[in-house]
Amino acid sequence: MLNIFILQCINIYYNIYRKKRVRAYCNIEVKLSIGNVGQLAVDLLVSSTGADRVGYLDDPNLLPCVGNDAYGPLPCGEIALPLERVLYESSSTATTLAQQRSPVAKVLHFFYLYNIADLAASSGKKHVIVLSSLDFQRPQHNLNMSRGPQVYYLSNAEASERDDHCERLGFGRLDEYDSEERCWKYLSSVFEENCKEELTFHSEDELEDIDYYPSLPFAALFSAFKARGLKVTCLLCYCSEGDNIPDAFFLAEAASKLTSLSPDKFHGGGKWQIPYSWKSMYGASPDMSMF
Amino acid sequence: MEDVLTENPPPSRFFQEDLNNFVSPSEPLPSPFILFSNPKPELPLRPSLLIVAISSPSLYVFHSLPSKSLIGSLIIPEVPFSGNTVEPSLQDKTCNIYSLTSSADDKNSILLVSVQLHVSPERSNLVSRLLIGQDIIPERVVILDSVQSRNFRGRLSPDETLAAKLETSSEKEAVTSRVNLDYFPSGSVIDGLSASLLSRCQVKNIRGTLVVSWPEFGSNVIRFVRALLKNIVPSLDVASVNKELEKCSSRKDAWTESDLYT
């Protein structure tokens, strides 16, 4: 039984409302990012796999929000909270997906990351996959668009910081990751076991273009999980604000390849299922009565 | 005015600084707390029902209710007291807690909370923990708020009154006394204090209902809230709400709420 944990970076919860025992070792999570692509991708995975909600995570560091069930097919009145965990099980894999719907309170960001990493480690997770996105308008040093859109990865699977499995799947390594670069080193040191307090860092005005990647939430989560001894893989794609549904499909497909959650095993008969909540993603249609 | 066809689309539901690990954190604030009146009741309070008014129509209805006793106030240190009056007033920036029964220890007691100040999203979780699960442990919670137009994906007309609900799993499973309203549509969200309160109920397995109404002001919405409360608490005396109802038919003057005028 392959157990994977896919995580979207978010806050730590101390009180978990459990509907069933979660025994998955693989976790898929999302990290707040431009275009909310990670969140959309997890919505797509949850909707398509028919995963069951197994709990809510109650973390004081996460900004509150509630809504009706996002997956449908009808608004059933099952409330959605800022951080939820759903479980997908098959004969060959058990995967939990964690969906985050709102940001972390800034001053409490690192406390949240400590907690979520502790939670994943203590619950027996073996592999964490983080889904996130990168701003296409930011400088990219090695971006090659000649072969079309590309999924990039960041992994601690091997000492060389490369991942053969990801590369066989056609993912490109995020070359902007440099474990010796000051910001990446800072993140690693923050989450080391013997360094609980916040370290002093240079002011925001001193950040340079190269600091963009480690400044992003996925980088902090990657460092937090790595410090807890978990295998962590970040899957990233470049996008801009706008219609990010195609980006969500792109990233969800990458996650499904990595975790063997292939669409032909989905409950919808091999097809991706659009979440019910996406029907109103861009608001109501314009009022035509004025014409 | 920008061209709607070429202007940049609105960002996702966050600020750019939310995507930066290295933003300097703001100075920490003192924690909110509840100040109970003398004699201090035996804690924790265990009311059968806790009703929290956040929307302007619900605050107006609460203020008009007779026979309620002020038993405490939730203090948020960063909110100034200047301009507040000794006797509770709708213009005060306060979060008062009232009892509708003679004794707060009565097993059938009902507590009302009038949230007449803005609680920031960052402080909402702390406030909701104070109101639910620490000094106050209710059996059931009803939260009254307005639809947040910025988070609503449908069409909102200023001339049309609408209301919807979200409820916890334990409320859904209850066989009696449920609020008879349609569910809040999927795809839209509610954030802030009302979301935090309902989330708190869900994780604590407490019966909880969040009712959101639209528009934010107006006599029609006040009548709706009055009728809703009467339905939830049949013994509630709402006759006095009618007397000055027409005074609230227009939008509240924003200048009276400004901190410049105290």
Side-chain angles (χ1 to χ4, degrees):
Chain A
M1 173 80 66
L2 176 65
N3 293 299
I4 307 172
F5 182 78
I6 303 179
L7 173 65
Q8 180 191 47
C9 260
I10 304 185
N11 300 313
I12 303 169
Y13 295 79
Y14 294 101
N15 301 312
I16 299 176
Y17 173 71
R18 292 182 180 274
K19 288 186 177 179
K20 65 185 289 187
R21 185 178 177 79
V22 177
R23 57 187 177 88
Y25 299 119
C26 175
N27 193 51
I28 296 178
E29 300 212 18
V30 300
K31 195 55 184 173
L32 202 63
S33 58
I34 185 165
N36 297 115
V37 176
Q39 293 162 300
L40 294 174
V42 167
D43 267 350
L44 202 51
L45 285 165
V46 172
S47 181
S48 302
T49 58
D52 294 322
R53 183 184 290 109
V54 294
Y56 301 101
L57 298 181
D58 177 31
D59 189 286
N61 306 307
L62 196 58
L63 298 184
C65 76
V66 291
N68 202 334
D69 178 69
Y71 306 111
L74 294 173
C76 60
E78 195 78 28
I79 70 168
L81 296 191
L83 185 57
E84 303 176 326
R85 177 168 291 177
V86 291
L87 173 67
Y88 172 75
E89 289 184 302
S90 70
S91 59
S92 60
T93 186
T95 304
T96 59
L97 302 100
Q99 174 65 288
Q100 174 188 358
R101 302 191 184 282
S102 61
V104 181
K106 288 183 288 296
V107 69
L108 302 168
H109 185 214
F110 282 98
F111 291 105
Y112 162 68
L113 293 172
Y114 285 132
N115 292 342
I116 203 74
D118 282 344
L119 182 65
S122 63
S123 59
K125 296 296 181 290
K126 303 297 183 191
H127 186 194
V128 180
I129 299 171
V130 179
L131 305 182
S132 193
S133 53
L134 306 169
D135 189 351
F136 194 77
Q137 296 182 24
R138 289 284 183 164
Q140 308 108 28
H141 300 281
N142 298 301
L143 190 61
N144 181 1
M145 297 298 292
S146 62
R147 291 181 295 173
Q150 171 78 54
V151 169
Y152 294 89
Y153 77 89
L154 182 60
S155 172
N156 67 339
E158 298 163 22
S160 63
E161 297 171 352
R162 306 196 79 89
D163 188 313
D164 290 337
H165 184 41
C166 286
E167 300 201 352
R168 282 195 299 274
L169 292 173
F171 305 156
R173 182 185 177 275
L174 186 69
D175 289 333
E176 286 77 7
Y177 173 68
D178 179 359
S179 59
E180 294 303 312
E181 193 269 333
R182 59 170 189 164
C183 288
W184 287 107
K185 286 183 74 171
Y186 169 78
L187 288 176
S188 293
S189 59
V190 164
F191 294 110
E192 283 173 0
E193 197 66 35
N194 58 350
C195 188
K196 290 294 185 183
E197 66 274 8
E198 298 262 1
L199 297 180
T200 303
F201 186 71
H202 303 280
S203 71
E204 190 178 352
D205 291 339
E206 298 176 14
L207 292 177
E208 300 169 1
D209 286 344
I210 194 64
D211 300 322
Y212 166 66
Y213 296 90
S215 75
L216 294 176
F218 84 87
L221 193 56
F222 174 78
S223 302
F225 282 123
K226 198 171 75 159
R228 288 295 177 269
L230 294 164
K231 178 184 175 186
V232 53
T233 305
C234 298
L235 296 183
L236 312 159
C237 67
Y238 282 95
C239 70
S240 300
E241 290 282 356
D243 180 1
N244 296 110
I245 291 178
D247 303 305
F249 271 95
F250 188 53
L251 201 59
E253 284 167 356
S256 69
K257 287 178 187 174
L258 189 63
T259 58
S260 303
L261 284 176
S262 57
D264 61 343
K265 297 176 184 173
F266 294 168
H267 80 300
K271 295 180 181 178
W272 290 101
Q273 299 292 321
I274 301 291
Y276 182 83
S277 59
W278 286 17
K279 293 184 189 307
S280 59
M281 187 183 294
Y282 295 103
S285 55
D287 183 3
M288 303 305 291
S289 62
M290 67 179 77
F291 300 106
Chain B
M1 186 171 70
E2 292 194 57
D3 183 342
V4 296
L5 295 179
T6 59
E7 69 179 3
N8 288 331
S12 308
R13 282 187 59 255
F14 53 81
F15 297 102
Q16 284 300 318
E17 58 186 10
D18 292 326
L19 301 185
N20 191 338
N21 294 323
F22 307 125
V23 167
S24 299
S26 51
E27 286 295 316
L29 295 170
S31 298
F33 58 93
I34 295 179
L35 202 60
F36 287 100
S37 58
N38 283 325
K40 188 176 179 180
E42 187 176 332
L43 299 178
L45 300 176
R46 296 182 182 276
S48 59
L49 177 63
L50 175 72
I51 310 177
V52 183
I54 300 175
S55 68
S56 293
S58 62
L59 290 172
Y60 174 80
V61 172
F62 272 31
H63 183 70
S64 304
L65 291 175
S67 306
K68 60 182 187 292
S69 307
L70 180 65
I71 65 167
S73 187
L74 191 149
I75 308 296
I76 302 180
E78 66 269 23
V79 177
F81 291 118
S82 61
N84 289 349
T85 56
V86 174
E87 291 296 320
S89 162
L90 266 180
Q91 280 68 47
D92 290 344
K93 294 288 187 289
T94 55
C95 183
N96 286 339
I97 304 170
Y98 300 91
S99 172
L100 276 184
T101 47
S102 57
S103 167
D105 296 330
D106 190 325
K107 62 179 179 180
N108 294 318
S109 65
I110 299 173
L111 295 187
L112 308 178
V113 180
S114 287
V115 185
Q116 295 183 190
L117 45 74
H118 173 67
V119 180
S120 69
E122 290 79 6
R123 303 286 261 170
S124 292
N125 288 331
L126 289 174
V127 170
S128 66
R129 275 161 168 74
L130 284 173
L131 291 175
I132 301 172
Q134 291 183 7
D135 288 341
I136 303 174
I137 303 177
E139 291 180 15
R140 186 186 176 202
V141 179
V142 174
I143 308 145
L144 306 172
D145 201 353
S146 293
V147 174
Q148 299 162 345
S149 55
R150 65 183 183 279
N151 293 327
F152 191 74
R153 293 290 179 261
R155 194 175 295 120
L156 292 172
S157 167
D159 303 322
E160 186 180 337
T161 304
L162 68 86
K165 69 174 181 179
L166 286 171
E167 53 190 13
T168 61
S169 302
S170 53
E171 177 71 17
K172 278 192 72 174
E173 293 166 4
V175 294
T176 58
S177 307
R178 287 177 62 198
V179 172
N180 186 19
L181 284 174
D182 290 337
Y183 284 119
F184 193 64
S186 181
S188 300
V189 296
I190 300 162
D191 60 19
L193 179 61
S194 54
S196 183
L197 288 166
L198 190 67
S199 300
R200 184 82 175 141
C201 291
Q202 176 70 1
V203 296
K204 287 292 186 183
N205 202 24
I206 295 174
R207 287 185 61 182
T209 306
L210 167 57
V211 176
V212 289
S213 56
W214 178 263
E216 294 176 293
F217 311 99
S219 55
N220 287 340
V221 190
I222 292 176
R223 291 190 184 94
F224 162 75
V225 171
R226 183 195 63 199
L228 176 70
L229 286 175
K230 184 69 176 176
N231 184 264
I232 295 172
V233 187
S235 60
L236 197 64
D237 179 8
V238 297
S240 58
V241 178
N242 298 332
K243 292 180 180 177
E244 297 189 20
L245 191 60
E246 293 308 316
K247 290 185 179 180
C248 285
S249 60
S250 59
R251 186 182 177 89
K252 286 166 52 175
D253 293 329
W255 70 268
T256 61
E257 299 179 28
S258 171
D259 291 335
L260 293 176
Y261 302 97
T262 59

